[in-house]
């Protein structure tokens, strides 16, 4: 009996040792998960803060009217390129209609859009416009990118919207607007100005906006 008890005590001690080791291992895993969760929560909070800041920035940009002389020049530019370029005099926002400015699923500017950009660059480099920087923001409708040739270059609408904003920037830089004055971005289909229909996209949502700041 003493021998059996000794064996049992040995097995018990061994089992406890294994259990303690597992508990220590489990604690390490839990500590690691807690650290990861804390980091992810912090990153998420930072992303939410950046998103709110950007949204507030865009909102403030949308209500900032431009000086009268610059407003007048941009209004003349809009009237010279109907259908290609819109200009809101109350907010100071320029808007290129992407259906008229780009081919389907493309980020290559049409000839009319290039001419409008050239005229815009002259205004931006003039005395009236030289003091402003630019935020260029691309938008699409909610129709997914499906054409293989387009998908190779732009996997989704977010990439397409940024690609078109970059094309506008590149043309303005080519037309001698200083590159350091221009920032680009894209919202894809996530900032529609009107509700997209059940089938097909809404043309008004396919646009590139330019804010002078």
């Amino acid at each position: 009996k003493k021998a059996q008890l000794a064996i049992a005590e040995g097995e018990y001690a061994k089992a406890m040792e294994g259990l303690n080791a597992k508990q220590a291992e489990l604690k390490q895993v839990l500590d690691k998960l807690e650290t990861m969760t804390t980091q992810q929560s912090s990153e998420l909070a930072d992303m939410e803060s950046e998103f709110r800041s950007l949204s507030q920035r865009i909102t403030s940009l949308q209500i900032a009217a431009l000086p009268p002389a610059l407003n007048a020049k941009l209004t003349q530019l809009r009237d010279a390129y109907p259908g290609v370029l819109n200009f809101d005099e109350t907010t100071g926002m320029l808007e290129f209609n992407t259906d008229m400015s780009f081919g389907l699923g493309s980020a290559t500017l049409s000839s009319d859009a290039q001419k409008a950009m050239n005229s815009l660059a002259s205004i931006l480099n003039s005395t009236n416009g030289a003091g402003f920087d630019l935020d260029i923001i691309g938008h699409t409708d909610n129709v997914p990118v499906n054409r293989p040739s387009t998908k190779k270059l732009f996997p989704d609408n977010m990439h397409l919207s940024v690609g078109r904003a970059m094309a506008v920037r590149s043309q303005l830089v080519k037309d001698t607007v200083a590159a350091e004055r221009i920032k680009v971005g894209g919202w894809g289909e996530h900032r529609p100005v009107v509700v997209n229909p059940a089938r097909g996209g809404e043309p008004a949502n396919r646009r590139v906006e330019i804010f002078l700041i």
Side-chain angles (χ1 to χ4, degrees), residues 149-165:
S149 58
T150 302
K151 212 168 182 65
K152 286 181 180 179
L153 299 173
F154 310 108
D156 54 33
N157 280 326
M158 184 65 73
H159 287 80
L160 179 58
S161 67
V162 174
R164 286 175 168 172

Side-chain angles (χ1 to χ4, degrees), residues 54 57-58 60-61 92-94 132-138 165 168-169 172 180-185 208-213:
L54 182 57
R57 178 176 175 79
I58 295 303
S60 67
L61 290 172
M93 182 187 75
L94 289 155
F132 290 87
D133 290 336
L134 289 79
D135 276 1
I136 303 176
I137 305 172
V168 171
R169 177 188 183 276
L172 289 173
E180 59 268 23
R181 294 175 61 188
I182 308 174
K183 183 175 69 177
V184 301
V208 175
E209 298 169 337
I210 302 179
F211 297 93
L212 276 63
I213 56 174

Side-chain angles (χ1 to χ4, degrees), residues 18-34:
L19 179 61
N20 290 335
K22 287 295 181 183
Q23 286 179 329
E25 183 179 342
L26 178 60
K27 186 176 185 304
Q28 289 180 346
V29 172
L30 290 174
D31 289 345
K32 185 176 180 180
L33 287 173
E34 183 178 354

